[in-house]
Amino acid sequence: MTSHPAIDLTTPPSGTGCVDCEATNGWWFHLRRCAACGHVGCCDSSPSQHATAHYRATGHPVVQSFEPGEDWFWDFARNDVLDIGLELAPPSSHPEAQPAPGPAGRVPQDWVRQLRR
């Protein structure tokens, strides 16, 4: 596939961490990047599930993993993985030195117990 209506290949990510968690001093497990506007939000296993909240607020259905070494896309509207072979504007992940969960210094000691399943 060479294009998708919910994907903008030119928009960079909004930052290196979940924008909403950063604003509230929260923490995340893994990160997802909106393929339409670049918003970086936390995954559904994270306490606040900001990537899904962004989809619900904006209607932007497609995210890409923002984890190093991962390039898969997820479509919230279809509730399915997309096999599209596209590359979004760099960077394609948070910095490898940035821990997951993160950010450093804000992850509680019992973080595993706080994950959503």
Side-chain angles (χ1 to χ4, degrees):
M1 179 183 278
T2 57
S3 67
H4 187 284
I7 296 175
D8 180 345
L9 300 176
T10 65
T11 302
S14 59
T16 59
C18 175
V19 175
D20 304 295
C21 286
E22 292 286 8
T24 61
N25 283 328
W27 64 277
W28 56 82
F29 181 50
H30 287 139
L31 299 171
R32 308 293 178 240
R33 172 187 177 180
C34 177
C37 71
H39 177 274
V40 176
C42 54
C43 72
D44 282 353
S45 294
S46 299
S48 297
Q49 302 176 328
H50 287 123
T52 296
H54 177 75
Y55 159 62
R56 289 184 181 137
T58 64
H60 298 165
V62 180
V63 294
Q64 185 177 35
S65 174
F66 201 55
E67 294 299 315
E70 297 181 3
D71 62 0
W72 53 266
F73 287 83
W74 178 260
D75 187 326
F76 285 110
R78 292 178 34 199
N79 198 34
D80 198 8
V81 174
L82 292 179
D83 184 16
I84 53 179
L86 296 175
E87 289 187 33
L88 301 178
S92 61
S93 72
H94 65 76
E96 288 197 34
Q98 180 177 307
R106 288 207 313 251
V107 180
Q109 288 186 346
D110 68 341
W111 67 269
V112 172
R113 213 176 316 192
Q114 294 187 39
L115 292 179
R116 300 179 67 109
R117 311 231 181 210

